[in-house]
């Protein structure tokens, strides 16, 4: 099922044919630069199963992203629920997180920002969500740049509990946007 269409992208359910491409994407050290390690094939498959389960249960989640013109799977973008009982013990949980990840050959072309703007519009029109959060390592400037383009504001920093002390990825930043007001993004 297709959930969101933008000028160049379709955000949709996951397909069986996405699995090998997503495994490849998650084994790329550049793509996973702001994670402690690359993902195993089993972790990538589990991610897809969980993402699709959330979409089926809630009507939203981390959608597969397809290039409208080439029909190629290029990554994912979407929103998901941060549970209060997860590994992060932060004062604003539970909450809704927006996230994205794209294959390297699709970087620096505006795809992540375009897809994220589509997700925000989707949330405004189809849910009662009023706040969206995003978090990343404090050195992940490409993702922080997308957060800023969405109009998100930095609201918190924390030490990620799953990352060892002294690691360059330990410090994380949290950004937030209020979607009570309609955002006027061109898609």
């Amino acid at each position: 099922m297709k959930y969101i269409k933008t000028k160049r992208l379709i955000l949709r359910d996951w397909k069986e044919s996405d699995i090998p491409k997503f495994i490849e994407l998650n084994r790329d050290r550049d793509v996973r630069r702001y994670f402690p390690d690359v993902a195993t094939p089993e972790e990538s498959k589990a991610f897809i199963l969980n993402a699709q389960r959330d979409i089926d249960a809630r009507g939203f989640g981390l959608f597969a992203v397809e290039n409208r013109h080439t029909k190629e799977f290029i990554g994912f973008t979407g929103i998901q629920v941060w549970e209060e009982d997860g590994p992060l013990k932060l004062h604003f949980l539970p909450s809704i997180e927006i996230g994205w990840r794209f294959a390297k050959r699709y970087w620096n072309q505006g795809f992540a920002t375009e897809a994220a703007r589509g997700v925000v519009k989707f949330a405004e029109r189809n849910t009662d969500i009023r706040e969206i959060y995003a978090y990343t390592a404090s050195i992940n400037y490409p993702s922080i740049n997308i957060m800023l383009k969405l109009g998100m504001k930095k609201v918190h920093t924390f030490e990620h509990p799953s990352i060892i002390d002294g690691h360059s990825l330990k410090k994380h930043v949290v950004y937030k946007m209020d979607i009570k007001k309609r955002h006027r993004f061109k898609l």
Side-chain angles (χ1 to χ4, degrees):
M1 182 171 170
K2 297 174 185 173
Y3 292 87
I4 302 166
K5 285 186 181 180
T6 69
K7 182 178 180 180
R8 300 178 296 165
L9 305 171
I10 295 171
L11 282 68
R12 57 163 172 77
D13 284 332
W14 291 82
K15 299 177 183 175
E16 190 77 23
S17 61
D18 299 333
I19 295 171
K21 294 173 185 169
F22 192 60
I23 288 170
E24 180 183 340
L25 180 154
N26 281 314
R27 294 190 56 77
D28 184 323
R29 292 207 177 275
D30 287 334
V31 170
R32 300 284 297 187
R33 178 179 347 163
Y34 301 108
F35 292 87
D37 205 352
V38 297
T40 66
E42 294 74 23
E43 289 168 332
S44 293
K45 289 176 190 175
F47 180 99
I48 290 172
L49 289 173
N50 289 330
Q52 190 59 51
R53 188 177 308 122
D54 282 350
I55 293 168
D56 293 341
R58 294 189 167 103
F60 65 83
L62 300 174
F63 302 108
V65 178
E66 178 181 299
N67 182 307
R68 280 181 79 163
H69 306 292
T70 65
K71 307 298 184 207
E72 289 179 274
F73 167 82
I74 65 172
F76 78 82
T77 305
I79 51 177
Q80 66 180 346
V81 177
W82 269 352
E83 300 294 349
E84 194 168 21
D85 59 352
L88 299 177
K89 306 298 180 202
L90 302 171
H91 71 281
F92 52 84
L93 297 181
S95 63
I96 304 298
E97 174 200 15
I98 189 168
W100 46 81
R101 189 174 317 143
F102 286 81
K104 186 167 50 176
R105 69 181 189 189
Y106 299 103
W107 291 0
N108 300 313
Q109 299 174 56
F111 288 125
T113 302
E114 181 177 329
R117 286 177 173 163
V119 167
V120 171
K121 279 192 167 191
F122 174 87
E124 287 174 339
R125 294 175 180 164
N126 299 291
T127 74
D128 60 357
I129 295 168
R130 297 291 172 237
E131 298 174 330
I132 296 177
Y133 291 83
Y135 79 95
T136 190
S138 62
I139 60 172
N140 185 350
Y141 301 116
S143 278
I144 291 169
N145 188 43
I146 294 167
M147 294 172 199
L148 294 172
K149 286 179 182 179
L150 293 174
M152 300 183 91
K153 305 289 184 212
K154 184 177 172 184
V155 295
H156 191 63
T157 61
F158 69 96
E159 302 285 312
H160 200 293
S162 301
I163 299 174
I164 61 170
D165 289 343
H167 196 287
S168 64
L169 300 177
K170 182 76 172 170
K171 184 178 178 188
H172 273 56
V173 291
V174 179
Y175 281 71
K176 175 187 168 190
M177 74 184 314
D178 180 355
I179 63 169
K180 289 179 185 173
K181 298 175 188 164
R182 292 221 174 251
H183 292 273
R184 303 292 179 214
F185 298 131
K186 288 187 178 182
L187 299 178

